[in-house]
Amino acid sequence: MTTKRLCFEPGHKPKCLVIVDDTAEWDRAVYYASRWAIRAGGGVVMLRIIEPEQQSQEWLGVAEIMRAEAHEAAEAALDRAAGRANGIAAITPERVIREGAAMEQLLAVIDEDPDIAMLVLAANPGAEGPGPLVALLAHELGTFPVPVTIISGALSDQSVDSLS
C-alpha cells in the first residue's frame, strides 16, 4: 500500500469503510459508521465481498448461475445496509461489490480510494469468537493502512450514540 490518504485535504472528505456480510453484527458497524459520518462531515463506503467457489471445468455453467445469484444477494444486502445508513444519518453511502479473497479485496478497495480514513467492523459478542473477518484482520493489524475500529455487536443504538 503506497496510496497516501487524502481524506482531510481540500476537495476531499473522510470516509468510513464498512463490510456488509452475512454476520448478525454488520448492523452495529453500519450504525457506528453512519453516526461517525454525521459528526465528521464524512461519508460511508459499504463493501460486500463475494468469495469465489472453486469449480471444475464441467461445472462452469452452474458457476455462472451461482455468481449471478451471489451478485443479486450482494445487491440486496447493500440495499438493506444503505437503507439503514440513510435512516440513521440521512446519507447515501457508496456501494462496492468485489469478488475474490476477502483480505485482498479489502486492501484493494482501501488502496483505490484515498479518502477512506477508517475501517469499521463489528465483533460477534458470542462465545464462538469475534467473527471471521475480525479474526482474519487481527493478524494484519500491525501493517494495516488505515485505523480499524471494532464495535461490540452487543452495543445498543443508545450506547453507540454516546460513543460516536
Side-chain angles (χ1 to χ4, degrees):
M1 292 268 153
T2 58
T3 301
K4 178 183 175 192
R5 303 286 101 199
L6 301 175
C7 48
F8 293 104
E9 299 291 324
H12 295 267
K13 71 176 183 176
K15 300 175 189 173
C16 269
L17 176 61
V18 179
I19 309 301
V20 177
D21 57 15
D22 293 326
T23 63
E25 59 273 4
W26 67 263
D27 177 73
R28 300 294 76 210
V30 168
Y31 193 90
Y32 180 89
S34 300
R35 295 279 305 164
W36 175 90
I38 294 170
R39 293 188 191 258
V44 175
V45 177
M46 296 183 172
L47 172 62
R48 177 73 175 209
I49 300 171
I50 300 169
E51 294 195 55
E53 304 272 335
Q54 295 292 341
Q55 301 292 329
S56 63
Q57 195 70 350
E58 63 268 7
W59 294 101
L60 288 180
V62 173
E64 283 303 312
I65 292 169
M66 291 173 62
R67 184 172 178 253
E69 289 173 350
H71 273 270
E72 286 179 26
E75 289 289 351
L78 289 173
D79 286 345
R80 284 189 305 278
R84 179 75 164 130
N86 187 274
I88 296 162
I91 60 173
T92 302
E94 295 176 40
R95 301 157 51 120
V96 178
I97 298 174
R98 300 293 288 260
E99 290 184 49
M103 188 58 66
E104 180 181 305
Q105 296 306 315
L106 175 59
L107 290 170
V109 168
I110 293 169
D111 194 45
E112 292 164 11
D113 188 342
D115 290 341
I116 293 175
M118 172 178 24
L119 171 64
V120 177
L121 299 172
N124 178 353
E128 60 275 3
L133 194 54
V134 174
L136 178 64
L137 192 62
H139 298 289
E140 305 291 330
L141 284 178
T143 60
F144 211 70
V146 296
V148 178
T149 300
I150 301 175
I151 303 301
S152 169
L155 293 176
S156 67
D157 288 355
Q158 295 77 20
S159 295
V160 174
D161 288 346
S162 67
L163 296 169
S164 57

